[in-house]
Structures are given as structure tokens and as C-alpha cells.
Amino acid sequence: MNALKFRNRKWVVLAQLLIFVFVLGCAGGSSQENKPVGVDSVESVKSGKYPKFEFSKEIHKFGEISEGEIGVCDFYFKNIGESNLIIKSIESDCGCANFKWTKKPIKVGEESKITIEFNSKGRHGKQYKVITIYSNTLQKKKKLILTANVE
């Protein structure tokens, strides 16, 4: 009789553990990327209408620059989508770039720009940097490229 109680207790503990894992998995796994930034994001998801970038260029070549020089470039774009465009954040694959952009929603048909400052301090030779823009577009991410030859 004791063996039967022990076996049943193991199943009860196992069932409780599985329920705990299931509840934890359903409740705790929401990520920041899936959370809307503002009313424009919520409305675009509900309607199926999204903003869309159209850049005049997606690669900027600084050419030859001296080590320590700060190169500045602008990436101009237009929102050719069907709802307001919101840039949530911009990151680079290194700590060598600073970014400036409007934090306000960019309306359909409006143009704007992203200014990037590339700091070549401590860098030598050919440089290839990927800039990632996080936004409320359907693709969520857009990549731009910077190149330079640092002497």
C-alpha cells in the first residue's frame, strides 16, 4: 500500500510541476518588440496597414578618413506606407556611431532623415558597419551600411 501512495504522490508532483511550467510560459514570455509604442502602432496592426521606408541610399561610403576623424552622413527617407512611421531605436554593430532622428511619428508621404556620426578613433583599415533601425514597419528592422578606409 505504501508503494502505491508513493507512486501516486510522484504523479501529483509531476502534474503540479507541468502546470507551473505551462502557466509560467503563458504569462511571462512577452517581449518588448511585440509591445506597441503608441496609438499609431496599435491602429496600424489592427487595420493591417503599415508604414514603409524608402531611402534615397542605404549605403554610405566615407572613403579614406584619418584615424580619430568623425565622419557625418545623412540617410534621407520617405514614409511610403499606409500609416505613421515610428522609429523606436537605432543601433550599430559597434560602439563607434551616434544617431540623431526625429522621435515624432512620420506621416504618410513625409520625408525625414537619420544623421549618423561615425567615430574612427582606434580603428584602422577597411571598416564595414551595420546600422539597424527598429521601427513599426512590417519587417520591424531595416539595415543601413557605412564603409570607410581608416588611415
Side-chain angles (χ1 to χ4, degrees), residues 97-141:
N98 290 317
F99 315 101
K100 295 177 186 169
W101 75 93
T102 181
K103 307 297 191 271
K104 297 184 296 185
I106 298 137
K107 295 181 174 84
V108 175
E110 264 187 1
E111 295 181 0
S112 190
K113 70 177 178 175
I114 298 168
T115 301
I116 301 175
E117 296 176 354
F118 168 68
N119 187 348
S120 64
K121 183 177 180 182
R123 312 232 176 247
H124 301 283
K126 292 184 180 183
Q127 302 293 308
Y128 181 89
K129 303 300 175 192
V130 177
I131 309 301
T132 306
I133 304 164
Y134 296 92
S135 67
N136 65 329
T137 60
L138 183 59
Q139 292 78 20
K140 305 292 183 214
K141 292 192 264 187

Side-chain angles (χ1 to χ4, degrees), residues 55 58-59 130-134 141-145:
F55 280 89
E58 296 183 15
I59 298 174
V130 177
I131 309 301
T132 306
I133 304 164
Y134 296 92
K141 292 192 264 187
K142 177 69 177 170
K143 296 193 183 285
L144 303 174
I145 307 295

Side-chain angles (χ1 to χ4, degrees), residues 3-66:
L4 186 59
K5 283 184 178 179
F6 180 72
R7 189 178 303 165
N8 285 339
R9 188 178 303 157
K10 283 190 335 188
W11 284 110
V12 169
V13 170
L14 180 61
Q16 288 174 336
L17 182 61
L18 287 173
I19 291 170
F20 175 74
V21 169
F22 177 76
V23 169
L24 183 66
C26 290
S30 66
S31 73
Q32 283 291 70
E33 283 189 17
N34 294 333
K35 293 182 181 178
V37 168
V39 176
D40 293 320
S41 293
V42 173
E43 290 175 1
S44 67
V45 170
K46 285 181 181 177
S47 68
K49 297 179 180 179
Y50 290 90
K52 186 176 181 182
F53 286 110
E54 180 180 66
F55 280 89
S56 59
K57 66 178 179 179
E58 296 183 15
I59 298 174
H60 182 81
K61 298 176 182 178
F62 284 109
E64 296 203 10
I65 61 175
S66 299

Side-chain angles (χ1 to χ4, degrees), residues 53-99:
F53 286 110
E54 180 180 66
F55 280 89
S56 59
K57 66 178 179 179
E58 296 183 15
I59 298 174
H60 182 81
K61 298 176 182 178
F62 284 109
E64 296 203 10
I65 61 175
S66 299
E67 189 271 332
E69 186 178 340
I70 295 178
V72 179
C73 67
D74 292 320
F75 285 93
Y76 292 91
F77 65 91
K78 183 176 185 177
N79 177 4
I80 61 167
E82 298 178 322
S83 66
N84 290 346
L85 175 65
I86 299 168
I87 297 175
K88 299 174 185 180
S89 65
I90 303 176
E91 297 176 358
S92 68
D93 59 354
C94 67
C96 59
N98 290 317
F99 315 101

